[in-house]
Amino acid sequence: QVQLVESGGGLVQAGGSLRLSCAASGRTFRNYVMGWFRQAPGKEREFVARINWSGLMTAYVDSVKGRFTISRDNAKNTVYLQMNSLKPEDTAVYFCAAGSGSWYSVAYDYWGQGTQVTVSS
């Protein structure tokens, strides 16, 4: 069992930055692929980024490439999402998730409650 708690969301002007954190409980954090997802009002939840257990493999949705960076600290059981050059269309509730399976077919078993990110124009 893994419990995930996100933090770091808030209100920021376009062009600004935020750093989201996701703290995980449990001893097996390093075994999981960690992902960030987001859901905007009236839209489906979408994948944003993921990172493998070592941090050496990452993947991003095209719309955030070059602006967002995912990282993890296995000693602290925490995954981060550094978000730069934020745009109003990045406004959403951001969720972290822990998953398993192959890199190209991750099954996310555990989800956090989400943190709100609002970007004003």
Side-chain angles (χ1 to χ4, degrees):
Q1 189 78 9
V2 177
Q3 292 184 330
L4 304 172
V5 179
E6 302 96 335
S7 62
L11 173 64
V12 64
Q13 289 187 334
S17 298
L18 282 175
R19 187 194 196 201
L20 305 183
S21 299
C22 173
S25 65
R27 300 175 295 171
T28 59
F29 173 77
R30 62 169 46 248
N31 292 346
Y32 290 94
V33 172
M34 297 300 297
W36 284 97
F37 293 75
R38 65 186 179 186
Q39 188 166 18
K43 295 187 176 181
E44 294 187 353
R45 186 175 300 185
E46 70 165 347
F47 164 79
V48 176
R50 70 179 183 272
I51 187 167
N52 77 327
W53 70 274
S54 67
L56 295 179
M57 295 177 64
T58 59
Y60 300 89
V61 67
D62 286 347
S63 59
V64 308
K65 285 181 180 178
R67 300 188 299 122
F68 290 12
T69 302
I70 189 171
S71 61
R72 68 190 295 164
D73 185 336
N74 289 336
K76 295 182 178 181
N77 282 11
T78 302
V79 63
Y80 306 96
L81 186 67
Q82 177 67 46
M83 305 185 296
N84 299 327
S85 301
L86 282 160
K87 304 175 181 180
E89 51 263 43
D90 294 318
T91 295
V93 177
Y94 283 70
F95 301 88
C96 72
S100 57
S102 66
W103 179 244
Y104 294 103
S105 183
V106 180
Y108 291 95
D109 304 307
Y110 304 102
W111 294 82
Q113 293 299 307
T115 185
Q116 176 71 47
V117 172
T118 303
V119 184
S120 63
S121 58

